[in-house]
Short mmCIF file of all heavy atoms in Angstrom, two decimals:
data_model
loop_
_atom_site.label_atom_id
_atom_site.label_comp_id
_atom_site.label_asym_id
_atom_site.label_seq_id
_atom_site.Cartn_x
_atom_site.Cartn_y
_atom_site.Cartn_z
N ALA Q 65 88.11 94.42 12.49
CA ALA Q 65 89.09 95.28 11.83
C ALA Q 65 90.45 95.16 12.50
O ALA Q 65 91.50 95.14 11.84
CB ALA Q 65 88.61 96.72 11.84
N ASP Q 66 90.46 95.06 13.85
CA ASP Q 66 91.72 94.89 14.57
C ASP Q 66 92.41 93.59 14.17
O ASP Q 66 93.63 93.54 13.97
CB ASP Q 66 91.47 94.89 16.08
CG ASP Q 66 91.11 96.27 16.62
OD1 ASP Q 66 91.33 97.26 15.89
OD2 ASP Q 66 90.61 96.34 17.76
N LEU Q 67 91.63 92.51 14.04
CA LEU Q 67 92.21 91.23 13.65
C LEU Q 67 92.78 91.30 12.23
O LEU Q 67 93.85 90.75 11.95
CB LEU Q 67 91.17 90.12 13.74
CG LEU Q 67 90.61 89.81 15.14
CD1 LEU Q 67 89.77 88.53 15.08
CD2 LEU Q 67 91.70 89.66 16.17
N ASP Q 68 92.07 91.97 11.33
CA ASP Q 68 92.56 92.08 9.96
C ASP Q 68 93.89 92.83 9.91
O ASP Q 68 94.79 92.47 9.13
CB ASP Q 68 91.53 92.78 9.08
CG ASP Q 68 90.38 91.86 8.68
OD1 ASP Q 68 90.56 90.63 8.81
OD2 ASP Q 68 89.33 92.35 8.26
N GLU Q 69 94.04 93.86 10.72
CA GLU Q 69 95.31 94.60 10.75
C GLU Q 69 96.44 93.70 11.25
O GLU Q 69 97.56 93.74 10.74
CB GLU Q 69 95.18 95.83 11.64
CG GLU Q 69 94.32 96.94 11.04
CD GLU Q 69 94.88 97.44 9.71
OE1 GLU Q 69 96.12 97.61 9.61
OE2 GLU Q 69 94.08 97.65 8.78
N LEU Q 70 96.16 92.90 12.26
CA LEU Q 70 97.18 91.98 12.78
C LEU Q 70 97.53 90.92 11.74
O LEU Q 70 98.69 90.52 11.60
CB LEU Q 70 96.67 91.31 14.05
CG LEU Q 70 96.51 92.22 15.28
CD1 LEU Q 70 95.75 91.49 16.39
CD2 LEU Q 70 97.87 92.68 15.79
N ARG Q 71 96.56 90.46 10.99
CA ARG Q 71 96.81 89.46 9.96
C ARG Q 71 97.68 90.04 8.84
O ARG Q 71 98.59 89.37 8.34
CB ARG Q 71 95.49 88.96 9.39
CG ARG Q 71 94.68 88.09 10.35
CD ARG Q 71 93.23 88.06 9.91
NE ARG Q 71 92.45 87.04 10.61
CZ ARG Q 71 91.12 86.96 10.54
NH1 ARG Q 71 90.44 87.83 9.81
NH2 ARG Q 71 90.47 86.01 11.18
N LYS Q 72 97.38 91.28 8.45
CA LYS Q 72 98.13 91.91 7.36
C LYS Q 72 99.60 92.07 7.69
O LYS Q 72 100.45 92.01 6.81
CB LYS Q 72 97.51 93.27 7.03
CG LYS Q 72 96.13 93.20 6.40
CD LYS Q 72 95.55 94.58 6.21
CE LYS Q 72 94.13 94.51 5.63
NZ LYS Q 72 93.53 95.87 5.51
N THR Q 73 99.91 92.26 8.95
CA THR Q 73 101.30 92.44 9.37
C THR Q 73 101.93 91.15 9.87
O THR Q 73 103.01 91.17 10.46
CB THR Q 73 101.37 93.51 10.48
OG1 THR Q 73 100.54 93.11 11.59
CG2 THR Q 73 100.91 94.87 9.97
N ASN Q 74 101.25 90.03 9.66
CA ASN Q 74 101.73 88.71 10.08
C ASN Q 74 101.94 88.62 11.59
O ASN Q 74 102.75 87.83 12.06
CB ASN Q 74 103.04 88.34 9.35
CG ASN Q 74 102.83 88.11 7.88
OD1 ASN Q 74 101.81 87.56 7.47
ND2 ASN Q 74 103.79 88.54 7.07
N ASP Q 75 101.21 89.44 12.34
CA ASP Q 75 101.25 89.35 13.80
C ASP Q 75 100.21 88.38 14.34
O ASP Q 75 100.10 88.19 15.55
CB ASP Q 75 101.01 90.74 14.42
CG ASP Q 75 102.19 91.67 14.22
OD1 ASP Q 75 103.33 91.16 14.22
OD2 ASP Q 75 101.98 92.88 14.05
N MET Q 76 99.48 87.77 13.42
CA MET Q 76 98.44 86.82 13.81
C MET Q 76 98.18 85.87 12.66
O MET Q 76 98.24 86.26 11.49
CB MET Q 76 97.14 87.58 14.18
CG MET Q 76 96.00 86.69 14.61
SD MET Q 76 94.57 87.67 15.11
CE MET Q 76 93.41 86.33 15.48
N VAL Q 77 97.91 84.62 12.97
CA VAL Q 77 97.61 83.62 11.95
C VAL Q 77 96.27 83.96 11.30
O VAL Q 77 95.31 84.32 11.97
CB VAL Q 77 97.56 82.21 12.58
CG1 VAL Q 77 97.13 81.18 11.55
CG2 VAL Q 77 98.90 81.85 13.17
N ASN Q 78 96.22 83.85 9.98
CA ASN Q 78 94.97 84.08 9.26
C ASN Q 78 94.12 82.82 9.32
O ASN Q 78 94.33 81.87 8.57
CB ASN Q 78 95.26 84.46 7.81
CG ASN Q 78 93.99 84.81 7.05
OD1 ASN Q 78 92.98 85.19 7.64
ND2 ASN Q 78 94.03 84.67 5.73
N ASP Q 79 93.19 82.81 10.25
CA ASP Q 79 92.36 81.64 10.48
C ASP Q 79 91.00 82.12 10.97
O ASP Q 79 90.83 83.29 11.35
CB ASP Q 79 93.01 80.73 11.52
CG ASP Q 79 92.41 79.33 11.55
OD1 ASP Q 79 91.53 79.06 10.71
OD2 ASP Q 79 92.82 78.52 12.39
N ASP Q 80 90.01 81.24 10.94
CA ASP Q 80 88.73 81.55 11.56
C ASP Q 80 88.95 81.89 13.03
O ASP Q 80 89.79 81.27 13.69
CB ASP Q 80 87.78 80.37 11.44
CG ASP Q 80 87.36 80.09 10.01
OD1 ASP Q 80 87.35 81.03 9.21
OD2 ASP Q 80 87.06 78.92 9.69
N CYS Q 81 88.18 82.84 13.53
CA CYS Q 81 88.38 83.31 14.91
C CYS Q 81 87.06 83.34 15.67
O CYS Q 81 86.04 83.77 15.13
CB CYS Q 81 88.98 84.72 14.91
SG CYS Q 81 90.64 84.82 14.21
N THR Q 82 87.11 82.88 16.90
CA THR Q 82 85.94 82.92 17.79
C THR Q 82 86.42 83.27 19.20
O THR Q 82 87.41 82.72 19.67
CB THR Q 82 85.20 81.58 17.81
OG1 THR Q 82 84.79 81.24 16.47
CG2 THR Q 82 83.98 81.63 18.71
N LEU Q 83 85.69 84.17 19.86
CA LEU Q 83 86.00 84.57 21.23
C LEU Q 83 84.70 84.76 21.99
O LEU Q 83 83.87 85.59 21.61
CB LEU Q 83 86.81 85.87 21.24
CG LEU Q 83 87.20 86.41 22.63
CD1 LEU Q 83 88.17 85.46 23.32
CD2 LEU Q 83 87.82 87.80 22.51
N VAL Q 84 84.51 83.97 23.04
CA VAL Q 84 83.34 84.09 23.90
C VAL Q 84 83.80 84.56 25.27
O VAL Q 84 84.72 83.97 25.87
CB VAL Q 84 82.59 82.75 24.03
CG1 VAL Q 84 81.40 82.89 24.96
CG2 VAL Q 84 82.13 82.27 22.65
N THR Q 85 83.18 85.62 25.77
CA THR Q 85 83.55 86.21 27.06
C THR Q 85 82.38 86.11 28.02
O THR Q 85 81.26 86.50 27.66
CB THR Q 85 83.95 87.69 26.89
OG1 THR Q 85 85.00 87.79 25.94
CG2 THR Q 85 84.40 88.29 28.20
N VAL Q 86 82.63 85.60 29.22
CA VAL Q 86 81.60 85.54 30.26
C VAL Q 86 82.19 86.06 31.56
O VAL Q 86 83.39 86.01 31.78
CB VAL Q 86 81.07 84.11 30.47
CG1 VAL Q 86 80.41 83.58 29.22
CG2 VAL Q 86 82.17 83.17 30.92
N ARG Q 87 81.33 86.58 32.40
CA ARG Q 87 81.75 87.05 33.71
C ARG Q 87 80.87 86.40 34.76
O ARG Q 87 79.65 86.31 34.61
CB ARG Q 87 81.65 88.57 33.81
CG ARG Q 87 82.27 89.16 35.07
CD ARG Q 87 82.20 90.68 35.07
NE ARG Q 87 83.10 91.26 34.07
CZ ARG Q 87 84.39 91.49 34.29
NH1 ARG Q 87 84.94 91.15 35.44
NH2 ARG Q 87 85.13 92.04 33.34
N VAL Q 88 81.49 85.93 35.85
CA VAL Q 88 80.74 85.29 36.93
C VAL Q 88 79.84 86.32 37.58
O VAL Q 88 80.26 87.45 37.86
CB VAL Q 88 81.71 84.67 37.96
CG1 VAL Q 88 80.92 84.02 39.10
CG2 VAL Q 88 82.61 83.65 37.29
N VAL Q 89 78.60 85.94 37.79
CA VAL Q 89 77.60 86.88 38.27
C VAL Q 89 77.97 87.41 39.66
O VAL Q 89 78.51 86.69 40.51
CB VAL Q 89 76.21 86.21 38.29
CG1 VAL Q 89 76.17 85.08 39.32
CG2 VAL Q 89 75.13 87.22 38.56
N ARG Q 90 77.69 88.67 39.89
CA ARG Q 90 77.84 89.29 41.20
C ARG Q 90 76.52 89.24 41.94
O ARG Q 90 75.45 89.28 41.31
CB ARG Q 90 78.31 90.74 41.06
CG ARG Q 90 79.71 90.89 40.46
CD ARG Q 90 80.08 92.37 40.41
NE ARG Q 90 81.44 92.57 39.95
CZ ARG Q 90 81.79 92.78 38.69
NH1 ARG Q 90 80.83 92.79 37.75
NH2 ARG Q 90 83.04 92.98 38.34
N PRO Q 91 76.52 89.15 43.28
CA PRO Q 91 75.25 89.08 44.03
C PRO Q 91 74.36 90.28 43.71
O PRO Q 91 74.80 91.43 43.71
CB PRO Q 91 75.72 89.12 45.49
CG PRO Q 91 77.11 88.57 45.46
CD PRO Q 91 77.70 89.04 44.16
N GLY Q 92 73.09 90.00 43.41
CA GLY Q 92 72.12 91.06 43.13
C GLY Q 92 72.19 91.62 41.72
O GLY Q 92 71.41 92.53 41.39
N GLU Q 93 73.08 91.11 40.88
CA GLU Q 93 73.20 91.65 39.53
C GLU Q 93 72.02 91.20 38.68
O GLU Q 93 71.71 90.01 38.61
CB GLU Q 93 74.50 91.16 38.89
CG GLU Q 93 74.71 91.64 37.47
CD GLU Q 93 76.00 91.12 36.88
OE1 GLU Q 93 76.73 90.38 37.59
OE2 GLU Q 93 76.29 91.43 35.71
N PRO Q 94 71.33 92.15 38.00
CA PRO Q 94 70.21 91.75 37.13
C PRO Q 94 70.73 91.03 35.90
O PRO Q 94 71.75 91.42 35.31
CB PRO Q 94 69.55 93.08 36.76
CG PRO Q 94 70.65 94.10 36.90
CD PRO Q 94 71.53 93.60 38.03
N ILE Q 95 70.04 89.98 35.51
CA ILE Q 95 70.46 89.17 34.36
C ILE Q 95 69.43 89.36 33.25
O ILE Q 95 68.27 88.97 33.39
CB ILE Q 95 70.57 87.68 34.73
CG1 ILE Q 95 71.46 87.51 35.98
CG2 ILE Q 95 71.09 86.89 33.56
CD1 ILE Q 95 72.87 88.00 35.78
N PRO Q 96 69.85 89.94 32.11
CA PRO Q 96 68.90 90.14 31.01
C PRO Q 96 68.64 88.85 30.26
O PRO Q 96 69.37 87.87 30.37
CB PRO Q 96 69.63 91.15 30.11
CG PRO Q 96 71.08 90.85 30.34
CD PRO Q 96 71.18 90.44 31.80
N GLU Q 97 67.56 88.86 29.47
CA GLU Q 97 67.27 87.72 28.61
C GLU Q 97 68.31 87.65 27.50
O GLU Q 97 68.64 88.68 26.89
CB GLU Q 97 65.87 87.83 28.01
CG GLU Q 97 64.76 87.64 29.01
CD GLU Q 97 64.73 86.23 29.56
OE1 GLU Q 97 65.04 85.29 28.79
OE2 GLU Q 97 64.40 86.07 30.74
N PRO Q 98 68.87 86.47 27.22
CA PRO Q 98 69.88 86.38 26.17
C PRO Q 98 69.29 86.61 24.79
O PRO Q 98 68.14 86.25 24.52
CB PRO Q 98 70.41 84.95 26.31
CG PRO Q 98 69.27 84.20 26.92
CD PRO Q 98 68.58 85.18 27.85
N GLU Q 99 70.07 87.25 23.91
CA GLU Q 99 69.66 87.45 22.53
C GLU Q 99 70.18 86.30 21.68
O GLU Q 99 71.28 85.82 21.89
CB GLU Q 99 70.20 88.78 22.01
CG GLU Q 99 69.66 89.99 22.78
CD GLU Q 99 70.20 91.28 22.20
OE1 GLU Q 99 70.99 91.22 21.24
OE2 GLU Q 99 69.82 92.34 22.71
N PRO Q 100 69.38 85.86 20.68
CA PRO Q 100 69.87 84.77 19.82
C PRO Q 100 71.07 85.23 19.01
O PRO Q 100 71.11 86.37 18.54
CB PRO Q 100 68.67 84.46 18.92
CG PRO Q 100 67.85 85.73 18.93
CD PRO Q 100 68.06 86.33 20.30
N PRO Q 101 72.08 84.37 18.85
CA PRO Q 101 73.26 84.76 18.08
C PRO Q 101 72.95 84.91 16.60
O PRO Q 101 72.08 84.22 16.06
CB PRO Q 101 74.24 83.60 18.32
CG PRO Q 101 73.35 82.43 18.59
CD PRO Q 101 72.16 82.99 19.32
N VAL Q 102 73.65 85.82 15.94
CA VAL Q 102 73.54 86.00 14.50
C VAL Q 102 74.70 85.26 13.87
O VAL Q 102 75.86 85.64 14.05
CB VAL Q 102 73.56 87.49 14.12
CG1 VAL Q 102 73.47 87.64 12.60
CG2 VAL Q 102 72.42 88.22 14.80
N LEU Q 103 74.40 84.23 13.12
CA LEU Q 103 75.42 83.37 12.54
C LEU Q 103 75.43 83.51 11.03
O LEU Q 103 74.46 83.96 10.42
CB LEU Q 103 75.16 81.91 12.94
CG LEU Q 103 75.16 81.64 14.45
CD1 LEU Q 103 74.80 80.19 14.70
CD2 LEU Q 103 76.50 81.97 15.05
N PRO Q 104 76.53 83.12 10.39
CA PRO Q 104 76.62 83.26 8.94
C PRO Q 104 75.71 82.29 8.23
O PRO Q 104 75.15 81.37 8.82
CB PRO Q 104 78.10 82.93 8.66
CG PRO Q 104 78.49 82.05 9.78
CD PRO Q 104 77.75 82.56 10.98
N GLU Q 105 75.58 82.51 6.90
CA GLU Q 105 74.75 81.63 6.10
C GLU Q 105 75.34 80.23 6.05
O GLU Q 105 76.49 80.00 6.37
CB GLU Q 105 74.62 82.20 4.68
CG GLU Q 105 73.84 83.50 4.64
CD GLU Q 105 73.68 84.01 3.22
OE1 GLU Q 105 74.35 83.45 2.33
OE2 GLU Q 105 72.89 84.93 3.02
N ASP Q 106 74.51 79.30 5.64
CA ASP Q 106 74.85 77.87 5.70
C ASP Q 106 75.85 77.49 4.62
O ASP Q 106 75.50 77.46 3.44
CB ASP Q 106 73.55 77.08 5.53
CG ASP Q 106 73.78 75.58 5.55
OD1 ASP Q 106 74.91 75.18 5.90
OD2 ASP Q 106 72.84 74.85 5.22
N PRO Q 107 77.11 77.19 4.97
CA PRO Q 107 78.07 76.77 3.96
C PRO Q 107 77.79 75.35 3.46
O PRO Q 107 78.19 74.99 2.36
CB PRO Q 107 79.40 76.82 4.72
CG PRO Q 107 79.03 76.57 6.15
CD PRO Q 107 77.68 77.21 6.31
N LEU Q 108 77.08 74.54 4.25
CA LEU Q 108 76.80 73.17 3.83
C LEU Q 108 75.87 73.14 2.63
O LEU Q 108 76.12 72.47 1.64
CB LEU Q 108 76.19 72.40 4.99
CG LEU Q 108 75.79 70.95 4.72
CD1 LEU Q 108 76.99 70.17 4.24
CD2 LEU Q 108 75.20 70.33 5.97
#
């Protein structure tokens, strides 16, 4: 929704958007099992 507001006001290019965020592990930090990503239906 934030991206759509920026697009409507021409504060951002209307394009496909992807953002992946990772943080370097801290000593002793528990690491959970990763969840499979939910991706869109097959355009092909």
Side-chain angles (χ1 to χ4, degrees):
D66 288 345
L67 296 190
D68 283 343
E69 288 300 318
L70 292 169
R71 290 160 168 170
K72 291 175 183 177
T73 58
N74 292 323
D75 288 326
M76 180 177 177
V77 175
N78 184 24
D79 196 3
D80 293 332
C81 295
T82 302
L83 179 66
V84 178
T85 304
V86 298
R87 189 177 290 276
V88 179
V89 66
R90 295 182 175 92
E93 179 181 0
I95 308 299
E97 290 294 325
E99 298 181 359
V102 179
L103 300 176
E105 293 182 350
D106 179 11
L108 178 57

